[in-house]
Amino acid sequence: MPLSHGRSYLAIPGPSVMPDRVLQAMHRAAPNIYAGEVVDMMPGLIDGLRSVARTQHNVAIYIANGHGTWEAALSNTLSPGGKVLSLCTGRFGHGWHEMATGLGIVPVIEEFGMQAPVNPERIEELLRADTTHDLKAVLLTHVDTSTSIRNDVMAARAAMNAAGHPALLMVDCIASMGCDRFEMDAWGVDVAVAASQKGLMVPPGVGFVFFNDKAAAVQANLSRVSRYWDWAPRANPDLFYQYFGGTAPTHHLYGLRESLAMIAEEGGIEAVWARHAHLAQAIWAAFDIWAADGPLQMNVADPALRSTAVTSLHVGAPYGTALRDWTEQKMGVTLGIGLGMSTPDDPKGDGFFRLGHMGHVNAPMVMGALSAIQSGLIALGIPHGDGALPAAAKVIAEA
Ligand SMILES: *Cc1c(COP(=O)(O)O)cnc(C)c1O
């Protein structure tokens, strides 16, 4: 008998749960786009976005998903034939690399596997070898949402500095912004991209490209920049429509204003990071116990290398798909699919699943998702250790 009637819970790593407050803020008549509230709210939104990204620099907003911000960042920094170094720790590094290829950019791929972060020594070595400075940018995924690896952005910057290489450091923060600590300016990031539907708790449809003055200077020297992606008028508009290269995403702006207000009310981005970190500890405590006796394993063994926004798990085919189907149908909890994890003996990635814990999540939601997994493990006869839920509850009790 399904016990899923009631509110469903999408516990995948994006789109994430949308707060009722955000939805209610969006539920309104079409506003005037030439004067009034929507126009007046822009400086506040820009300030709020800067504080979430920890930057004093520029932000350009696009009516786009994360893929759009990938293209925007590349279109403002590279020309066809230019070279970038793509550092890959899962599916999303490849995604950005494919975007670069489509623009005629020549990406040099460096693989670090699916279970380890980028290696700063290797980055330094690759950059030192580029004595002619052909590499114009280093593309790094902060949190790779497929593997749940969190890369050390500061260490990557230190490696670039040690090599004395002038390439831009461009970081994909689509999964991490508003979840895992990210300090654009302090960490020496030149370009950072993010999107609305993950830690920022707004429906998919708006993307953000943050860029510093070094990146702006690179853009100013390009022979041409696509008019639509050009970040300069978006970051410094003379007229309101230039923020968006056309009609504003009116309702998303109301949603974003509300989500930024929620972040501020919680105590600012530090408090939001701390909540994610504590909830992740509870989640990992449960997974550790289940893993102690049975096939379930977290993809990243070392907690220090894991994102606090998403956890990727291996449970062996066909259990990953079976568990996702069971929790969705019986309990109304949708877990994430394994992404880019298929192997020759598991061609469809049926042995993997992911739990998203980004954005609008709290302790009862986390305990609810964990108990859905617990019930699924029992119902499907998947061997597992005992006592996972009390272990998570204990971590939560220590908050
Ligand atoms: C979700 C995600 C993307 C892609 O974003 P879309 O909005 O689906 O285009 C890119 N990179 C990372 C790290 C992501 O988590």
mmCIF file of all heavy atoms in Angstrom, residues 65-67 70 92 141 143 145 172 174-175 197-198, ligand 1:
data_model
loop_
_atom_site.group_PDB
_atom_site.id
_atom_site.type_symbol
_atom_site.label_atom_id
_atom_site.label_comp_id
_atom_site.label_asym_id
_atom_site.label_seq_id
_atom_site.Cartn_x
_atom_site.Cartn_y
_atom_site.Cartn_z
ATOM 1 N N ASN A 65 19.569 28.320 -17.498
ATOM 2 C CA ASN A 65 19.943 27.344 -16.466
ATOM 3 C C ASN A 65 21.470 27.331 -16.333
ATOM 4 O O ASN A 65 22.165 28.202 -16.878
ATOM 5 C CB ASN A 65 19.358 25.965 -16.789
ATOM 6 C CG ASN A 65 19.805 25.458 -18.150
ATOM 7 O OD1 ASN A 65 20.786 25.943 -18.713
ATOM 8 N ND2 ASN A 65 19.088 24.506 -18.690
ATOM 9 N N GLY A 66 21.991 26.346 -15.635
ATOM 10 C CA GLY A 66 23.434 26.282 -15.431
ATOM 11 C C GLY A 66 24.201 26.169 -16.738
ATOM 12 O O GLY A 66 25.266 26.782 -16.909
ATOM 13 N N HIS A 67 23.654 25.395 -17.661
ATOM 14 C CA HIS A 67 24.332 25.256 -18.953
ATOM 15 C C HIS A 67 24.508 26.618 -19.634
ATOM 16 O O HIS A 67 25.525 26.872 -20.274
ATOM 17 C CB HIS A 67 23.539 24.329 -19.883
ATOM 18 C CG HIS A 67 23.698 22.865 -19.571
ATOM 19 N ND1 HIS A 67 23.259 22.298 -18.408
ATOM 20 C CD2 HIS A 67 24.252 21.856 -20.296
ATOM 21 C CE1 HIS A 67 23.521 21.001 -18.422
ATOM 22 N NE2 HIS A 67 24.129 20.702 -19.556
ATOM 23 N N TRP A 70 27.430 28.368 -18.135
ATOM 24 C CA TRP A 70 28.692 27.820 -18.656
ATOM 25 C C TRP A 70 29.048 28.525 -19.966
ATOM 26 O O TRP A 70 30.184 28.936 -20.189
ATOM 27 C CB TRP A 70 28.514 26.324 -18.964
ATOM 28 C CG TRP A 70 28.673 25.369 -17.834
ATOM 29 C CD1 TRP A 70 29.288 25.602 -16.629
ATOM 30 C CD2 TRP A 70 28.230 24.004 -17.819
ATOM 31 N NE1 TRP A 70 29.246 24.454 -15.876
ATOM 32 C CE2 TRP A 70 28.612 23.461 -16.576
ATOM 33 C CE3 TRP A 70 27.563 23.185 -18.717
ATOM 34 C CZ2 TRP A 70 28.339 22.137 -16.215
ATOM 35 C CZ3 TRP A 70 27.291 21.873 -18.366
ATOM 36 C CH2 TRP A 70 27.671 21.359 -17.122
ATOM 37 N N PHE A 92 30.009 16.760 -14.439
ATOM 38 C CA PHE A 92 29.791 18.174 -14.727
ATOM 39 C C PHE A 92 31.022 18.862 -15.301
ATOM 40 O O PHE A 92 30.895 19.783 -16.110
ATOM 41 C CB PHE A 92 29.205 18.875 -13.505
ATOM 42 C CG PHE A 92 27.773 18.458 -13.297
ATOM 43 C CD1 PHE A 92 27.446 17.400 -12.467
ATOM 44 C CD2 PHE A 92 26.763 19.068 -14.017
ATOM 45 C CE1 PHE A 92 26.129 16.974 -12.332
ATOM 46 C CE2 PHE A 92 25.438 18.655 -13.892
ATOM 47 C CZ PHE A 92 25.119 17.600 -13.034
ATOM 48 N N THR A 141 35.159 22.525 -11.324
ATOM 49 C CA THR A 141 33.830 22.338 -10.724
ATOM 50 C C THR A 141 34.019 22.292 -9.210
ATOM 51 O O THR A 141 34.725 21.410 -8.717
ATOM 52 C CB THR A 141 33.190 21.024 -11.221
ATOM 53 O OG1 THR A 141 33.314 20.967 -12.648
ATOM 54 C CG2 THR A 141 31.735 20.941 -10.842
ATOM 55 N N VAL A 143 31.733 21.783 -6.620
ATOM 56 C CA VAL A 143 31.114 20.523 -6.195
ATOM 57 C C VAL A 143 30.625 19.823 -7.443
ATOM 58 O O VAL A 143 29.780 20.362 -8.160
ATOM 59 C CB VAL A 143 29.940 20.782 -5.238
ATOM 60 C CG1 VAL A 143 29.071 19.540 -5.101
ATOM 61 C CG2 VAL A 143 30.462 21.220 -3.881
ATOM 62 N N THR A 145 28.285 17.451 -8.833
ATOM 63 C CA THR A 145 27.020 16.927 -8.330
ATOM 64 C C THR A 145 26.821 15.458 -8.675
ATOM 65 O O THR A 145 25.995 14.788 -8.070
ATOM 66 C CB THR A 145 25.875 17.774 -8.917
ATOM 67 O OG1 THR A 145 26.349 19.120 -9.033
ATOM 68 C CG2 THR A 145 24.661 17.786 -8.026
ATOM 69 N N ASP A 172 32.725 26.469 -11.428
ATOM 70 C CA ASP A 172 31.307 26.104 -11.475
ATOM 71 C C ASP A 172 30.826 25.901 -10.042
ATOM 72 O O ASP A 172 31.209 24.941 -9.378
ATOM 73 C CB ASP A 172 31.156 24.817 -12.303
ATOM 74 C CG ASP A 172 29.732 24.261 -12.293
ATOM 75 O OD1 ASP A 172 28.911 24.697 -11.466
ATOM 76 O OD2 ASP A 172 29.459 23.361 -13.115
ATOM 77 N N ILE A 174 27.500 25.868 -9.356
ATOM 78 C CA ILE A 174 26.051 25.695 -9.545
ATOM 79 C C ILE A 174 25.464 24.841 -8.417
ATOM 80 O O ILE A 174 24.390 25.139 -7.900
ATOM 81 C CB ILE A 174 25.761 25.109 -10.946
ATOM 82 C CG1 ILE A 174 26.219 26.107 -12.016
ATOM 83 C CG2 ILE A 174 24.275 24.792 -11.104
ATOM 84 C CD1 ILE A 174 26.266 25.559 -13.430
ATOM 85 N N ALA A 175 26.189 23.802 -8.016
ATOM 86 C CA ALA A 175 25.675 22.962 -6.920
ATOM 87 C C ALA A 175 26.018 23.527 -5.552
ATOM 88 O O ALA A 175 25.302 23.294 -4.584
ATOM 89 C CB ALA A 175 26.254 21.550 -7.039
ATOM 90 N N GLN A 197 18.285 27.227 -9.105
ATOM 91 C CA GLN A 197 17.440 26.132 -8.629
ATOM 92 C C GLN A 197 18.114 25.167 -7.675
ATOM 93 O O GLN A 197 17.603 24.092 -7.434
ATOM 94 C CB GLN A 197 16.896 25.354 -9.829
ATOM 95 C CG GLN A 197 17.853 24.363 -10.479
ATOM 96 C CD GLN A 197 18.765 24.966 -11.512
ATOM 97 O OE1 GLN A 197 18.983 26.179 -11.519
ATOM 98 N NE2 GLN A 197 19.342 24.158 -12.379
ATOM 99 N N LYS A 198 19.243 25.544 -7.119
ATOM 100 C CA LYS A 198 19.898 24.617 -6.184
ATOM 101 C C LYS A 198 19.938 25.277 -4.817
ATOM 102 O O LYS A 198 18.902 25.455 -4.196
ATOM 103 C CB LYS A 198 21.225 24.185 -6.762
ATOM 104 C CG LYS A 198 20.946 23.374 -8.036
ATOM 105 C CD LYS A 198 22.091 22.654 -8.627
ATOM 106 C CE LYS A 198 21.576 21.820 -9.794
ATOM 107 N NZ LYS A 198 22.611 21.305 -10.637
HETATM 108 C C1 LIG B 1 23.093 21.267 -11.927
HETATM 109 C C2 LIG B 1 24.485 21.517 -12.314
HETATM 110 C C3 LIG B 1 24.831 21.994 -13.591
HETATM 111 C C4 LIG B 1 23.828 22.148 -14.680
HETATM 112 O O1 LIG B 1 22.852 23.056 -14.395
HETATM 113 P P1 LIG B 1 21.539 23.107 -15.313
HETATM 114 O O2 LIG B 1 20.728 24.150 -14.638
HETATM 115 O O3 LIG B 1 20.937 21.749 -15.260
HETATM 116 O O4 LIG B 1 21.953 23.485 -16.671
HETATM 117 C C5 LIG B 1 26.140 22.270 -13.852
HETATM 118 N N1 LIG B 1 27.095 22.085 -12.933
HETATM 119 C C6 LIG B 1 26.816 21.620 -11.712
HETATM 120 C C7 LIG B 1 27.929 21.431 -10.724
HETATM 121 C C8 LIG B 1 25.507 21.311 -11.367
HETATM 122 O O5 LIG B 1 25.215 20.835 -10.148
#
